[in-house]
């Protein structure tokens, strides 16, 4: 199956591309019955929270169901998301780095807009292979009708939530008594609650969401602690219905609202963890609900025909500790450090994916698009939904999943907010960091203190050369080896220059869409005004490169 990889387009000779396309146009697994796909996504779950990653009981939050998934399938240890909710979910849905779709930063109530209607999603692609598609839980990709799941290929969305959890507490006088009454009224008016609807229909609001322990849908209000209960119920109901239509494959995307701050576990999970904290209780709740979905698959005899993929949207949010997950890596959600983007992921498919595999290939949420398309026997389109040229940043993970080879991906780009050039890049085991945002520019090394500033951290670009880290020997990014008497690695810039150049040049043929969320971009200067045309011309002519520091 031919994959459209923007970053490789200038490196692959056309004749070789044709040969490869003919050789693997229809993978063996695609010629068989199309598999069902269950994609489970949690929110802000830390890399080190779950049992397979050294968490679980050892961190006071047992995860027996997720542990069971790891024993039955493949656990990924170099799996990447994006550094925050909206770009992380956009990348998974579209198979494109967030700045291509304009979904680069978190959206808030009342902003409108969202995922452009021209974008392909996992659901709209799988619809081309006659999949039944269903969405429930957190969306966080905009408020406009054209940006909702039922406008993006999902036959049905049920209990769809448009924001991060804390957004539903803005209008709560108990949480923010100092908020002006008029502002509170505005938030209560513009914040949409649980939304449901079929494709082609206007969405309906089931009930409003509040930040308290209230479960009164008949009165029009349900509290944050109960949301995942409704998400789970929707998922179970769909699976039961899907079992009645065995001849049609299905794709269901279940997005739990946990573990985003404020973590308010459902009443039956309060103090059920070992450590009895709100976050740990919420992890136990998440694990239980995932287990219920897995048990339903088995009960309905669907598990042999279903690929289950679990992951989360971004790295742990250390800024809000202790109501946050744990990561062994440096940095936090909102930064280009490993802690911002490296996330847990597990894949299970009995009889197809071997038991207990630990995978260390460079993979990520971007790759779900090419993988699911491959399993459905589809090629990714060359035109977007409006008929304009489009490219994808997605690699088919099938060789890694089924043990037939390694991932073709050998690089990863890290972005924050408004970046067009990546703030960091990984190629193989080496990572170059160009933007120190998130740690206040603290020096690296054994005595460095990472202040975990996240979004609060200033953009601080390295003036001449990047920091370089060996992620195999130094996954915490503590020792900059770019220029060092013992480990000098200036030569790595040749590799970084090549992959970044190809990425930036792809923007010429496939221009990024306008940013869909509102953020402060800083002052606009007269110099900036005159740079715009120069930047466009420079990208077209040569991309971007960083000079090697050679000299006497």
């Amino acid at each position: 199956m031919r994959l459209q990889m923007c970053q490789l387009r200038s490196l692959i000779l056309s004749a070789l591309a044709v040969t490869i396309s003919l050789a693997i146009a229809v993978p063996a697994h695609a010629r068989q019955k199309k598999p069902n796909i269950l994609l489970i996504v949690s929110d802000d779950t830390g890399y080190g929270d779950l049992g397979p990653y050294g968490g679980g009981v050892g961190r006071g939050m047992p995860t027996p169901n997720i542990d069971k998934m790891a024993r039955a399938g493949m656990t990924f240890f170099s799996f990447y998301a994006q550094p925050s909710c909206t770009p992380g979910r956009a990348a998974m849905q579209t198979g494109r780095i967030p700045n291509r779709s304009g979904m680069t930063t978190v959206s808030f109530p009342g902003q409108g807009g969202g995922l452009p209607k021209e974008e392909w999603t996992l659901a709209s692609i799988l619809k081309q292979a006659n999949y039944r598609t269903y969405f429930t839980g957190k969306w966080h990709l905009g408020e406009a009708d054209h940006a909702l799941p039922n406008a993006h290929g999902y036959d049905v969305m049920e209990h769809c939530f448009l924001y991060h959890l804390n957004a539903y507490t803005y209008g709560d006088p108990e949480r923010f008594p100092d908020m002006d009454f008029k502002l509170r009224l505005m938030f209560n008016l513009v914040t949409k609650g649980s939304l449901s609807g079929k494709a082609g229909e206007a969405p309906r609001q089931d009930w409003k969401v509040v930040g308290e322990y209230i479960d009164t849908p008949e009165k029009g209000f349900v509290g944050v602690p109960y949301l995942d209960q409704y998400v789970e119920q929707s998922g179970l109901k769909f699976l039961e219905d899907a079992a009645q239509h065995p001849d049609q494959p299905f794709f269901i995307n279940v997005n739990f609202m946990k573990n985003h701050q404020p973590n308010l576990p459902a009443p039956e999970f309060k103090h059920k963890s070992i450590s009895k904290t709100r976050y740990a209780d919420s992890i136990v709740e998440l694990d239980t609900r995932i287990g219920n979905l897995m048990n339903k698959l088995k009960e309905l005899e669907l598990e042999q025909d279903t690929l289950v993929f679990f992951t989360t949207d971004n790295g742990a949010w250390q800024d809000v500790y202790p109501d946050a997950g744990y990561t062994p890596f440096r940095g936090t959600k909102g930064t280009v450090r490993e802690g911002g983007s490296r996330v847990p992921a597990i894949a299970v498919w009995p009889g197809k994916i071997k038991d207990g595999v630990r995978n260390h290939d460079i993979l990520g949420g971007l790759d779900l698009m090419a993988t699911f398309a491959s399993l459905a026997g589809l090629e990714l389109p060359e035109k977007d939904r409006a008929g304009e040229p489009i490219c994808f940043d997605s690699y088919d993970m099938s060789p890694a999943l089924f043990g037939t080879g390694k991932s073709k991906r050998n690089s990863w780009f890290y972005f924050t907010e408004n970046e067009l050039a990546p703030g960091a890049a990984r190629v193989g085991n080496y990572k170059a960091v160009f933007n120190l945002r998130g740690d206040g520019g603290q020096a690296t090394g054994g005595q460095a203190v990472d202040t975990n500033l996240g979004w609060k951290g200033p953009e601080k670009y390295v003036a001449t050369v990047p920091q370089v880290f060996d992620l195999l020997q130094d996954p915490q990014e503590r020792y900059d080896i770019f220029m060092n008497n013992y480990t000098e690695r200036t030569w790595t810039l040749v590799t970084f220059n090549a992959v970044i150049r190809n990425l930036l040049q792809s923007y010429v043929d496939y221009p990024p869409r306008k940013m869909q969320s509102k953020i402060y971009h800083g002052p606009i200067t007269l110099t900036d005004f005159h740079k715009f045309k120069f930047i466009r011309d420079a990208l077209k002519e040569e991309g971007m490169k960083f000079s090697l520091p050679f000299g006497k």
Side-chain angles (χ1 to χ4, degrees), residues 98-307:
N99 57 27
R100 295 197 192 277
S101 62
M103 304 299 291
T104 59
T105 190
V106 172
S107 54
F108 289 87
Q111 286 191 336
L115 187 64
K117 59 181 179 296
E118 297 85 3
E119 290 289 329
W120 290 99
T121 65
L122 297 172
S124 57
I125 287 290
L126 290 175
K127 287 300 295 180
Q128 311 306 305
N130 195 37
Y131 272 70
R132 297 181 67 198
T133 56
Y134 187 90
F135 184 93
T136 182
K138 180 175 177 176
W139 180 243
H140 210 182
L141 296 178
E143 294 177 310
D145 286 356
H146 75 260
L148 300 184
N150 66 337
H152 274 285
Y154 289 95
D155 297 325
V156 177
M157 67 175 185
E158 186 169 37
H159 300 312
C160 173
F161 303 99
L162 303 187
Y163 323 105
H164 54 82
L165 270 179
N166 205 36
Y168 293 100
T169 71
Y170 291 164
D172 188 338
E174 295 297 320
R175 290 179 175 273
F176 302 106
D178 56 329
M179 183 183 292
D180 180 79
F181 170 77
K182 293 181 180 178
L183 184 57
R184 181 179 297 117
L185 179 62
M186 184 277 292
F187 276 122
N188 286 332
L189 287 174
V190 302
T191 303
K192 299 178 181 179
S194 170
L195 297 181
S196 298
K198 296 180 180 180
E201 295 180 353
R204 68 178 185 277
Q205 182 170 262
D206 306 306
W207 25 259
K208 287 280 192 179
V209 178
V210 296
E212 308 297 330
Y213 276 85
I214 298 173
D215 187 17
T216 56
E218 72 282 359
K219 296 180 180 179
F221 296 96
V222 172
V224 162
Y226 300 90
L227 299 188
D228 281 349
Q229 164 189 305
Y230 288 92
V231 174
E232 178 194 328
Q233 290 173 357
S234 294
L236 295 175
K237 183 178 69 173
F238 174 82
L239 292 177
E240 289 173 348
D241 183 66
Q244 305 303 313
H245 304 85
D247 295 330
Q248 185 177 16
F250 65 76
F251 167 54
I252 174 174
N253 188 189
V254 178
N255 296 260
F256 289 112
M257 301 296 284
K258 302 290 192 311
N259 303 94
H260 194 289
Q261 172 267 350
N263 281 282
L264 301 175
E268 64 269 32
F269 294 99
K270 291 181 70 173
H271 298 166
K272 294 301 182 183
S273 66
I274 297 171
S275 65
K276 297 182 174 18
T277 65
R278 294 192 308 175
Y279 186 86
D281 291 344
S282 295
I283 285 286
V284 171
E285 178 181 351
L286 172 69
D287 178 77
T288 301
R289 299 197 187 284
I290 289 175
N292 291 341
L293 289 171
M294 299 299 290
N295 290 338
K296 180 61 70 172
L297 280 177
K298 185 174 183 179
E299 172 192 323
L300 297 171
E301 299 182 350
L302 292 171
E303 61 177 349
Q304 297 294 323
D305 297 322
T306 304
L307 167 65

Side-chain angles (χ1 to χ4, degrees), residues 81-85 87-88 313-315 332-336 340-341 415-416 455:
Q82 304 297 316
S84 64
C85 305
D313 55 354
N314 49 250
T332 178
K333 171 182 178 179
T335 75
V336 298
S341 297
F415 299 91
T416 63
W455 286 292

Side-chain angles (χ1 to χ4, degrees), residues 73-110:
M74 178 175 289
T75 304
F76 301 90
F77 289 87
S78 289
F79 195 89
Y80 289 93
Q82 304 297 316
S84 64
C85 305
T86 295
R89 292 167 189 277
M92 279 190 273
Q93 289 291 337
T94 66
R96 285 154 50 82
I97 54 178
N99 57 27
R100 295 197 192 277
S101 62
M103 304 299 291
T104 59
T105 190
V106 172
S107 54
F108 289 87

Side-chain angles (χ1 to χ4, degrees), residues 82-84 104-105 334-337 414-423 435 437 455 459 461 519:
Q82 304 297 316
S84 64
T104 59
T105 190
T335 75
V336 298
R337 297 295 189 188
Y414 308 72
F415 299 91
T416 63
E417 307 292 343
N418 198 26
E419 289 177 315
L420 192 60
N435 181 357
R437 179 181 184 173
W455 286 292
E459 288 189 341
Y461 284 88
I519 64 169

